[in-house]
Amino acid sequence: MESITVYDIAREANVSVATVSRVLNDTAPVRTSTRQKIMAIIEKHKFQPNALARSLVNKKTGMIGVLFPDSSNMFFPEVFGGAERAAMKLGFTLFLCNTFSNFSRESEYLNLLCERQVEGLIFMGGRINSRHCPELLVQEVVDIQKRIPIVLINGSLPGHPCHRVKTDEYAGTQLIMQHLIDRGHRSIGFLGGSAETTTTMEKLQAYKSTLGANDLPFRKQIVRLGDFSMECGRKLMDQLLSMPNCPTAFLCINDYVAIGAMKAAISHGLRIPEDIAIAGFDDTQLAAAMNPELTTVSQHSEELGSQAMALLSRLIQKEKVKKLTVLEPKLIVRQST
Amino acid sequence: MESITVYDIAREANVSVATVSRVLNDTAPVRTSTRQKIMAIIEKHKFQPNALARSLVNKKTGMIGVLFPDSSNMFFPEVFGGAERAAMKLGFTLFLCNTFSNFSRESEYLNLLCERQVEGLIFMGGRINSRHCPELLVQEVVDIQKRIPIVLINGSLPGHPCHRVKTDEYAGTQLIMQHLIDRGHRSIGFLGGSAETTTTMEKLQAYKSTLGANDLPFRKQIVRLGDFSMECGRKLMDQLLSMPNCPTAFLCINDYVAIGAMKAAISHGLRIPEDIAIAGFDDTQLAAAMNPELTTVSQHSEELGSQAMALLSRLIQKEKVKKLTVLEPKLIVRQST
């Protein structure tokens, strides 16, 4: 199982490590007889031209770390898929780390990825979406950024300039709210998300402003936060359906919450969209799979990933790149509204 | 952006690389004054104790490569999630490579992962499930296995002993077939999968044998292969619904095909399960999300991943491990049957 290193080859050939490295990387001429001796040893031991050893010489690893909050929400594997396709074309390899949005796991992985000498980082979720992130954790990322290019997806580090790719979730929320209002709904509930998360607050602001722009009142009691899960959608919808003035439509923080809400509505004997309209966010593959199919907002998940990777590649090549790339969201009208 | 290496530190401290390495890895005593000089340089340059350099000395990288066919089928992120949680506990880091079941991408990644000096490999999909895999591609994996431990999930390399973790898909198919038969169905269609894939043929064999064991005829015209997508399920169900003797129940190769089949049935005005029963396979998160919720077979996706990782860790430590680990599938009865 043990493989030999450049050190072993150098010893066996009775040459310096530098000479072995020159042969491996073809960076400088080496006497033919020496080269042949080294090649024979490499052949004999089936030596893998060692990317690690090479990276010590070139200071390049071709590796990109991806911090990513949750592989069980399809949105994130979709973003990752886009980043991966772009990375493959650009000659990079991605190193996926599932942080479960846990700050200390994030720190652990950041440390590990720096140790692994990644050439760049893509960061999603966790602290970059946190409204009350301790300054120490922000500083940790800022410090790494001095040495390694970082691109944030759908997040930011307040007070520190960063390279960011995001979908305009504010505009996306306006789009879907206006769609519900245009369908005649006057009372629209807001379900799921967390008050600790910047993206939730952004969507909530857009929800309020669209109500205002249409002369509709904001009613606190039909805004119910929680988390981002199907279970949360089910529970919150159950609560609201037992209220006297239950809304006729619901905007959910994401597709998962929307599906939970649909399930609760169906189990109460309601028809979607005839009795109640429900809309999601993200346009994950779940949305089109549902019955009825879910109206939602596309964040262009794959493109978020591929754009972040393209940007990072340019940063690694020390090109000047604008700080913020914004993708326009797209309303996807299906059967649930 | 450039970071310094052990070589740079050795030069600046006027000591050998080996001495720097001894300080970094704490593997042998070093004179206190020398140690302090080296530590000061490390501090000055904010040197990252370099996992790459260390790995050259220790011959250990802590890295595991995971070859994985498709991040857009939730089954695979679920397996990966299980492997990742186990890896984290065991002190390994996973390196996820999406092969899209493409043989040449697999080769490309295998090469890259060996170059990166991974300590082990987890292999899913692609050639290890192919019925007509060129011997050269089998040999490629067999050769790597001589140097690096490999665990295959739900697959094999015919003619070559390998360490494998699998769910008994044959038994799983028998379970769900018997369930459909016990519900009174006498004509059960088989939808999706590919004749090129070993797992499809295994399920098809179990389908036939369960029909036989219940004195039911095997009818070739209600077995329709294709691929593993929702679109395939929709198309095949459309075809079968226009047949004269359409089956009353359908076993689908996976949850995605089952969801496509449900959509087609609903658009034909059929009620599930009253008019037609539909069953999936895998118990991905989609199954419970559907309306009606999908009856399916759990492969214990997370456990497949965690068991594979635990096995690999033991192989890396050169422990004796039995070649084959089989998980028992579990029938999950929901609303669609």
Coordinates of all heavy atoms in Angstrom, one line a residue, chain B residues 133-167:
Chain B
C133 N -18.5 -3.9 -19.5 CA -17.4 -3.0 -19.2 C -16.1 -3.6 -19.9 O -15.8 -4.7 -19.6 CB -17.2 -2.8 -17.7 SG -15.8 -1.8 -17.3
P134 N -15.5 -2.8 -20.7 CA -14.2 -3.3 -21.4 C -13.2 -3.8 -20.3 O -13.1 -3.1 -19.3 CB -13.7 -2.1 -22.1 CG -14.9 -1.2 -22.3 CD -15.8 -1.4 -21.1
E135 N -12.6 -4.9 -20.5 CA -11.7 -5.5 -19.6 C -10.6 -4.5 -19.1 O -10.1 -4.5 -18.0 CB -11.0 -6.8 -20.1 CG -10.1 -7.5 -19.2 CD -10.6 -7.8 -17.8 OE1 -11.9 -8.0 -17.7 OE2 -9.8 -7.9 -16.9
L136 N -10.2 -3.6 -20.1 CA -9.1 -2.6 -19.8 C -9.6 -1.7 -18.6 O -8.7 -1.4 -17.8 CB -8.9 -1.8 -21.1 CG -7.6 -1.2 -21.3 CD1 -6.5 -2.3 -21.5 CD2 -7.6 -0.2 -22.4
L137 N -10.8 -1.4 -18.6 CA -11.3 -0.4 -17.6 C -11.4 -1.2 -16.2 O -11.2 -0.6 -15.2 CB -12.7 0.1 -18.0 CG -12.7 1.0 -19.2 CD1 -14.1 1.6 -19.5 CD2 -11.7 2.1 -19.1
V138 N -11.8 -2.4 -16.3 CA -11.8 -3.2 -15.1 C -10.4 -3.3 -14.5 O -10.1 -3.1 -13.3 CB -12.4 -4.7 -15.3 CG1 -12.2 -5.5 -14.1 CG2 -13.8 -4.6 -15.7
Q139 N -9.4 -3.6 -15.4 CA -8.0 -3.8 -15.1 C -7.5 -2.5 -14.4 O -6.7 -2.6 -13.5 CB -7.2 -4.2 -16.3 CG -5.9 -4.8 -16.0 CD -6.0 -6.0 -15.0 OE1 -6.8 -6.9 -15.2 NE2 -5.2 -6.0 -13.9
E140 N -7.9 -1.4 -14.9 CA -7.4 -0.1 -14.4 C -7.7 0.0 -12.9 O -6.8 0.3 -12.1 CB -8.1 1.0 -15.1 CG -7.7 2.4 -14.7 CD -8.4 3.5 -15.5 OE1 -9.6 3.4 -15.8 OE2 -7.8 4.6 -15.8
V141 N -8.9 -0.4 -12.5 CA -9.3 -0.4 -11.1 C -8.6 -1.4 -10.3 O -8.1 -1.2 -9.2 CB -10.8 -0.5 -10.9 CG1 -11.2 -0.4 -9.5 CG2 -11.6 0.5 -11.7
V142 N -8.5 -2.6 -10.9 CA -7.7 -3.7 -10.2 C -6.3 -3.3 -9.9 O -5.8 -3.6 -8.9 CB -7.8 -5.0 -11.1 CG1 -6.9 -6.1 -10.5 CG2 -9.3 -5.5 -11.2
D143 N -5.7 -2.7 -10.9 CA -4.3 -2.2 -10.7 C -4.1 -1.2 -9.6 O -3.2 -1.3 -8.8 CB -3.7 -1.6 -12.0 CG -3.4 -2.6 -13.0 OD1 -3.3 -3.8 -12.7 OD2 -3.2 -2.3 -14.2
I144 N -5.1 -0.2 -9.6 CA -5.0 0.8 -8.5 C -5.2 0.1 -7.1 O -4.5 0.4 -6.2 CB -6.1 1.8 -8.7 CG1 -5.7 2.7 -10.0 CG2 -6.2 2.8 -7.5 CD1 -6.8 3.6 -10.4
Q145 N -6.1 -0.9 -7.1 CA -6.4 -1.6 -5.9 C -5.2 -2.3 -5.3 O -5.1 -2.6 -4.1 CB -7.5 -2.6 -6.2 CG -8.3 -3.1 -5.0 CD -9.3 -4.1 -5.4 OE1 -10.4 -4.0 -4.9 NE2 -8.9 -5.1 -6.2
K146 N -4.2 -2.6 -6.1 CA -3.0 -3.2 -5.6 C -2.2 -2.2 -4.6 O -1.5 -2.6 -3.8 CB -2.0 -3.6 -6.7 CG -2.6 -4.8 -7.4 CD -1.7 -5.2 -8.6 CE -2.4 -6.2 -9.5 NZ -2.0 -6.1 -10.9
R147 N -2.4 -0.9 -4.9 CA -1.7 0.1 -4.1 C -2.5 0.9 -3.1 O -2.1 1.3 -2.1 CB -1.0 1.1 -5.1 CG 0.1 0.5 -5.9 CD 0.6 1.5 -6.9 NE -0.4 1.9 -7.9 CZ -0.8 3.1 -8.2 NH1 -0.4 4.1 -7.5 NH2 -1.7 3.3 -9.2
I148 N -3.8 1.0 -3.5 CA -4.7 1.9 -2.7 C -6.0 1.1 -2.4 O -6.6 0.5 -3.3 CB -5.1 3.2 -3.5 CG1 -3.8 3.9 -3.8 CG2 -6.0 4.0 -2.7 CD1 -4.1 5.1 -4.8
P149 N -6.4 1.0 -1.1 CA -7.7 0.3 -0.8 C -8.9 0.9 -1.5 O -9.0 2.2 -1.5 CB -7.8 0.4 0.7 CG -6.5 0.9 1.2 CD -5.8 1.6 0.1
I150 N -9.7 0.1 -2.0 CA -11.0 0.6 -2.7 C -12.2 -0.1 -2.1 O -12.1 -1.3 -1.9 CB -10.9 0.3 -4.2 CG1 -9.6 1.0 -4.8 CG2 -12.2 0.8 -4.9 CD1 -9.5 0.9 -6.3
V151 N -13.2 0.6 -1.9 CA -14.5 0.0 -1.5 C -15.5 0.3 -2.6 O -15.7 1.5 -2.9 CB -15.0 0.4 -0.1 CG1 -16.4 -0.1 0.2 CG2 -14.0 0.0 1.0
L152 N -16.2 -0.7 -3.1 CA -17.2 -0.4 -4.1 C -18.6 -0.4 -3.4 O -18.9 -1.2 -2.5 CB -17.3 -1.6 -5.2 CG -15.9 -2.0 -5.8 CD1 -16.2 -3.1 -6.9 CD2 -15.2 -0.8 -6.4
I153 N -19.5 0.5 -3.8 CA -20.8 0.5 -3.3 C -21.8 0.1 -4.4 O -21.8 0.6 -5.5 CB -21.2 1.9 -2.8 CG1 -20.3 2.3 -1.6 CG2 -22.7 2.0 -2.4 CD1 -20.7 3.7 -1.0
N154 N -22.6 -0.9 -4.1 CA -23.6 -1.4 -5.0 C -23.1 -1.8 -6.4 O -23.7 -1.5 -7.4 CB -24.8 -0.4 -5.1 CG -25.8 -0.5 -4.0 OD1 -25.6 -1.3 -3.1 ND2 -26.8 0.3 -4.0
G155 N -21.9 -2.4 -6.4 CA -21.3 -2.8 -7.7 C -20.3 -3.8 -7.5 O -20.0 -4.3 -6.4
S156 N -19.6 -4.2 -8.6 CA -18.6 -5.2 -8.5 C -17.7 -5.1 -9.8 O -18.0 -4.5 -10.7 CB -19.2 -6.6 -8.4 OG -19.9 -6.9 -9.6
L157 N -16.6 -5.8 -9.7 CA -15.7 -6.0 -10.9 C -15.6 -7.5 -11.2 O -14.9 -8.2 -10.5 CB -14.3 -5.5 -10.5 CG -14.1 -4.0 -10.3 CD1 -12.7 -3.6 -9.8 CD2 -14.5 -3.2 -11.6
P158 N -16.5 -7.9 -12.1 CA -16.6 -9.3 -12.3 C -15.3 -10.0 -12.5 O -14.4 -9.5 -13.3 CB -17.4 -9.4 -13.6 CG -18.1 -8.1 -13.8 CD -17.2 -7.1 -13.1
G159 N -15.1 -11.1 -11.8 CA -13.8 -11.9 -12.0 C -12.7 -11.4 -11.1 O -11.6 -12.0 -11.1
H160 N -12.9 -10.3 -10.3 CA -11.9 -9.8 -9.5 C -12.4 -9.6 -8.0 O -13.4 -8.9 -7.9 CB -11.3 -8.5 -10.0 CG -10.7 -8.6 -11.3 ND1 -9.4 -9.1 -11.5 CD2 -11.2 -8.4 -12.6 CE1 -9.2 -9.1 -12.8 NE2 -10.3 -8.7 -13.5
P161 N -11.8 -10.2 -7.0 CA -12.3 -10.0 -5.7 C -12.1 -8.5 -5.3 O -11.1 -7.9 -5.5 CB -11.4 -10.9 -4.8 CG -10.2 -11.2 -5.6 CD -10.6 -11.0 -7.1
C162 N -13.1 -8.0 -4.7 CA -13.1 -6.6 -4.2 C -13.8 -6.4 -2.9 O -14.6 -7.3 -2.5 CB -13.9 -5.7 -5.2 SG -13.2 -5.6 -6.8
H163 N -13.5 -5.4 -2.2 CA -14.3 -5.0 -1.0 C -15.5 -4.3 -1.4 O -15.4 -3.3 -2.1 CB -13.4 -4.2 0.0 CG -12.4 -5.1 0.7 ND1 -11.1 -5.2 0.2 CD2 -12.5 -5.9 1.8 CE1 -10.5 -6.1 1.0 NE2 -11.3 -6.5 1.9
R164 N -16.7 -4.8 -1.0 CA -17.9 -4.2 -1.5 C -18.9 -4.1 -0.3 O -19.0 -4.9 0.6 CB -18.6 -5.2 -2.5 CG -17.6 -5.5 -3.6 CD -18.4 -6.2 -4.8 NE -18.7 -7.6 -4.5 CZ -19.8 -8.2 -4.8 NH1 -20.8 -7.5 -5.3 NH2 -20.0 -9.5 -4.5
V165 N -19.7 -3.0 -0.4 CA -20.8 -2.8 0.5 C -22.0 -2.6 -0.4 O -22.0 -1.9 -1.4 CB -20.7 -1.5 1.3 CG1 -21.9 -1.2 2.2 CG2 -19.4 -1.5 2.2
K166 N -23.1 -3.4 -0.2 CA -24.3 -3.3 -1.0 C -25.5 -3.5 -0.3 O -25.5 -4.1 0.8 CB -24.2 -4.2 -2.2 CG -24.1 -5.7 -1.8 CD -24.2 -6.6 -3.0 CE -25.7 -6.8 -3.4 NZ -25.9 -7.7 -4.5
T167 N -26.6 -3.0 -0.8 CA -27.9 -3.3 -0.3 C -28.4 -4.5 -1.2 O -28.1 -4.5 -2.4 CB -28.9 -2.2 -0.4 OG1 -28.3 -1.1 0.3 CG2 -30.2 -2.5 0.3

